Amino acid sequence: MNLKRVLASLLSVTVSLTSARNTTDIDAPQAAGRSAETCGDPADALPFYRLLAGTGEYLYVADPTTVGTELRAAPNGWALQTVAALVFSTQEVSTVPFYTLHSNTGSEWLYVANTTELANALNNGYHLSTEPVVYIYPTQICGSVPFYYLNNAAEKSNFYTAVESERLDFIANEGYTDVDIAGYVLPLGYSQCA
Ligand SMILES: *[C@@H]1O[C@H](CO)[C@@H](O)[C@H](O)[C@H]1NC(C)=O
Ligand SMILES: *[C@@H]1O[C@H](CO)[C@@H](O)[C@H](O)[C@H]1NC(C)=O
């Protein structure tokens, strides 16, 4: 074997080791578990828009077509306020449906991930709304944050926020009180590179 052939074969070994290492790097998070195998793909997460009715109820919608339809529903006077969080529009790993319910008698909207509470709500004056269901995490995993559920009993209005300062402001200045954590959403600043 001459030197050139030795070098050539060493080179080919090096190349295959390098590509093997690259492959290993890409697969490493999956082999390690949580991040790649038990979380939704953050690249699929969509803005969950918050709309406010002229009458004071809040509506949360991810589907852009539905946002447009609601905003054009002039008699309701919906205004687009902000993006409240990031959610999934299809069921990804470890996520659960976050149902949109509407009052049978009033006009408030209710958002429920817990199936026991869904059954309670359906038995207590709410029906499932026609907005497409979105999906969130039922526990705080995968970089998610609490989606706080607040209620203003006098206004018959439910409010949800992932922003702690907004939660405190609504309690201090808008007549809302904490009810629960509705589920866990990805915050707006979420970066899959983090
Ligand atoms: C493989 O990794 C090496 C160094 O880690 C890099 O120089 C090379 O561009 C990578 N190749 C591919 C196909 O990603
Ligand atoms: C769902 O709601 C019920 C009734 O409020 C509660 O007892 C239960 O702990 C909740 N489950 C989860 C996973 O939060």
Side-chain angles (χ1 to χ4, degrees):
M1 209 186 248
N2 67 26
L3 185 59
K4 247 184 191 165
R5 285 177 63 182
V6 170
L7 284 177
S9 81
L10 273 178
L11 185 62
S12 92
V13 168
T14 306
V15 166
S16 60
L17 279 179
T18 302
S19 59
R21 190 177 68 221
N22 289 4
T23 306
T24 305
D25 284 348
I26 291 164
D27 290 345
Q30 280 159 13
R34 177 160 298 289
S35 61
E37 283 194 342
T38 62
C39 292
D41 182 353
D44 294 342
L46 296 173
F48 203 27
Y49 297 100
R50 184 172 89 211
L51 286 76
L52 173 63
T55 46
E57 297 87 25
Y58 293 94
L59 172 66
Y60 296 78
V61 179
D63 176 51
T65 306
T66 306
V67 172
T69 307
E70 297 291 359
L71 289 177
R72 280 191 301 272
N76 292 335
W78 291 106
L80 181 58
Q81 283 204 315
T82 189
V83 174
L86 300 177
V87 298
F88 298 104
S89 63
T90 55
Q91 186 156 24
E92 301 236 354
V93 181
S94 299
T95 66
V96 296
F98 193 39
Y99 297 100
T100 303
L101 295 107
H102 196 228
S103 170
N104 293 339
T105 52
S107 43
E108 74 268 29
W109 304 84
L110 181 68
Y111 294 83
V112 180
N114 178 317
T115 51
T116 307
E117 289 172 7
L118 173 66
N120 288 345
L122 292 173
N123 284 329
N124 287 286
Y126 287 88
H127 60 271
L128 282 173
S129 179
T130 54
E131 278 75 22
V133 172
V134 299
Y135 300 85
I136 64 172
Y137 292 112
T139 55
Q140 190 161 15
I141 56 173
C142 305
S144 62
V145 297
F147 202 39
Y148 297 106
Y149 161 31
L150 293 85
N151 172 260
N152 182 324
E155 300 279 334
K156 291 193 172 173
S157 173
N158 298 321
F159 179 74
Y160 299 80
T161 181
V163 180
E164 179 69 17
S165 58
E166 193 170 51
R167 169 181 162 257
L168 295 174
D169 176 51
F170 269 65
I171 292 171
N173 303 312
E174 305 286 341
Y176 284 77
T177 53
D178 273 323
V179 181
D180 203 354
I181 291 172
Y184 297 84
V185 293
L186 294 183
L188 288 191
Y190 188 87
S191 164
Q192 58 182 314
C193 303

